[in-house]
Amino acid sequence: MAKGRSSDDTKAALVEAAIAALRENGFAGASAREIAQRSGCNQALIFYHFGTVSQLHLAALDAVSAARDTRYRAMVEESHGLSALVRAARAVFDEDLDQGHVTVLVEMIAAAQFNPELRPEVAARIRPWRAFAADSVKDALAGSPAARLLPPDELAHAVVAMYLGLEMLANLEGEREPALALFDRAGKIASLLDIFKRRRK
């Protein structure tokens, strides 16, 4: 244990260091040595508290996911109508890019493609996001003619995939304008759907 730190403080420091390493250096750069150096902890404490570096990476992903879950749910609760939901999603996308939240998930997804230990663990952590997206879309489309054309589960899968893909491309290309333009286009379509929905009432 690091001098002067409790066990919980040490674990928290390691998780925060893992998040920062994944966000700034990518999965390949989030080694035990790098995380230990960032946290100010002995490298052996990673294995003492988490068993493996992969389990620490997953704990980092869980911490980011929990924080974003709170933010996303608040966003949905504050958004009334599909167009408001799209505008809020655009703002959160900008926020995620600025703070590197989704980068952690993207790095873990990329790593899971080649790591049998990580693959089922990361996949299990994405399923709740798809369920959340499906519930949000279902509520936003309720009473809209689009509800029959856009099954919530299928649309949620597309939304999650698109969001992650846009995040990856924005980071790769170093610009977010094309992604934001798509959100703006989606917002215009959503506004039309909201109008149809109101007229049907």
Side-chain angles (χ1 to χ4, degrees), residues 3-148:
K3 187 176 180 180
R5 282 180 177 168
S6 68
S7 177
D8 287 343
D9 287 343
T10 298
K11 290 177 70 174
L14 288 169
V15 168
E16 285 301 315
I19 291 171
L22 286 165
R23 184 175 58 234
E24 296 168 21
N25 297 351
F27 183 82
S31 64
R33 182 189 297 274
E34 174 68 17
I35 294 169
Q37 184 176 9
R38 284 174 178 266
S39 66
C41 297
N42 187 297
Q43 192 170 324
L45 290 173
I46 293 174
F47 304 97
Y48 175 77
H49 287 293
F50 296 95
T52 66
V53 180
S54 290
Q55 288 300 314
L56 173 53
H57 289 151
L58 290 169
L61 177 56
D62 287 339
V64 170
S65 295
R68 298 320 287 162
D69 179 71
T70 300
R71 178 70 179 95
Y72 295 159
R73 289 184 186 281
M75 172 198 76
V76 169
E77 289 176 6
E78 294 165 3
S79 301
H80 303 289
L82 192 58
S83 57
L85 187 60
V86 173
R87 286 195 301 272
R90 184 191 191 280
V92 169
F93 180 81
D94 240 352
E95 188 179 293
D96 283 341
L97 280 176
D98 288 338
Q99 299 178 20
H101 298 302
V102 180
T103 301
V104 174
L105 174 57
V106 169
E107 287 296 324
M108 292 298 289
I109 290 173
Q113 306 304 309
F114 307 100
N115 187 320
E117 177 187 356
L118 285 177
R119 190 175 300 129
E121 296 284 355
V122 174
R125 285 162 171 80
I126 291 176
R127 281 193 286 272
W129 290 113
R130 289 170 58 184
F132 170 66
D135 289 342
S136 301
V137 167
K138 184 177 181 180
D139 289 342
L141 288 178
S144 167
R148 295 181 180 179

